[in-house]
Amino acid sequence: MNPNYVFTSETRTTGPNLIFELRGELDVVFAPGLRGQIIGVLRDLKPERLILDLTHLTFLDSTGLGVLLWAHHRMSEQGGRLCLAAPGHLVRRVLHTTGLDRRLHVYDTLEDLTHDLTHDRSDLSPVTGSGGRSRAVGP
């Protein structure tokens, strides 16, 4: 196995938020493990927001997208929200190409996310490109 081909995640909580910092490649090999981790923490902690910090995520395939959609639906069912923060260029392109950047709550940076949470802007989802804002669509 290529030592550069790896995926890790670290979790932490801040108030009602559960943050997963994702690193590496989220693909068919690693997506099921992430889903299993999320199942466990959602069951045990029941956070209001599940925040996936994508700053260090370098690759995302269809199985990774499936986990993001599943997490979005699971959080919605629990009355919470999935937030994606700081996707890099490649991950942002995948989200845009699939239209998920318009369906999920995607924030350009962790600072943008923190600002909106601090100001309780629950009806807004920052943006699709260069720092603009747009309304989130769908549950």
Side-chain angles (χ1 to χ4, degrees):
M1 178 182 253
N2 180 344
N4 295 320
Y5 180 70
V6 72
F7 173 80
T8 62
S9 67
E10 293 181 20
T11 58
R12 67 184 185 277
T13 57
T14 59
N17 305 313
L18 175 64
I19 303 168
F20 269 80
E21 181 180 318
L22 308 182
R23 293 180 172 273
E25 302 182 359
L26 183 54
D27 62 10
V28 68
V29 174
F30 298 108
L34 177 61
R35 182 179 168 139
Q37 289 177 351
I38 293 172
I39 286 170
V41 295
L42 292 184
R43 179 189 60 236
D44 297 341
L45 302 177
K46 297 179 180 37
E48 289 179 20
R49 287 176 213 87
L50 173 59
I51 298 169
L52 301 183
D53 176 356
L54 308 180
T55 304
H56 302 288
L57 191 67
T58 58
F59 180 79
L60 179 66
D61 75 0
S62 61
T63 54
L65 286 171
V67 171
L68 298 183
L69 276 173
W70 167 84
H72 169 70
H73 290 297
R74 178 63 71 96
M75 288 300 295
S76 293
E77 289 170 357
Q78 291 182 198
R81 172 183 291 176
L82 172 68
C83 298
L84 305 179
H89 175 71
L90 179 62
V91 172
R92 180 177 299 285
R93 190 171 75 192
V94 170
L95 293 170
H96 178 72
T97 300
T98 59
L100 291 178
D101 62 339
R102 293 180 304 278
R103 184 164 187 201
L104 303 177
H105 298 277
V106 180
Y107 293 80
D108 286 333
T109 66
L110 285 168
E111 291 77 22
D112 288 343
L113 171 60
T114 301
H115 179 267
D116 277 4
L117 294 178
T118 302
H119 293 89
D120 194 28
R121 298 179 62 151
S122 59
D123 64 330
L124 295 179
S125 176
V127 267
T128 55
S130 59
R133 295 186 186 270
S134 64
R135 288 215 174 259
V137 177

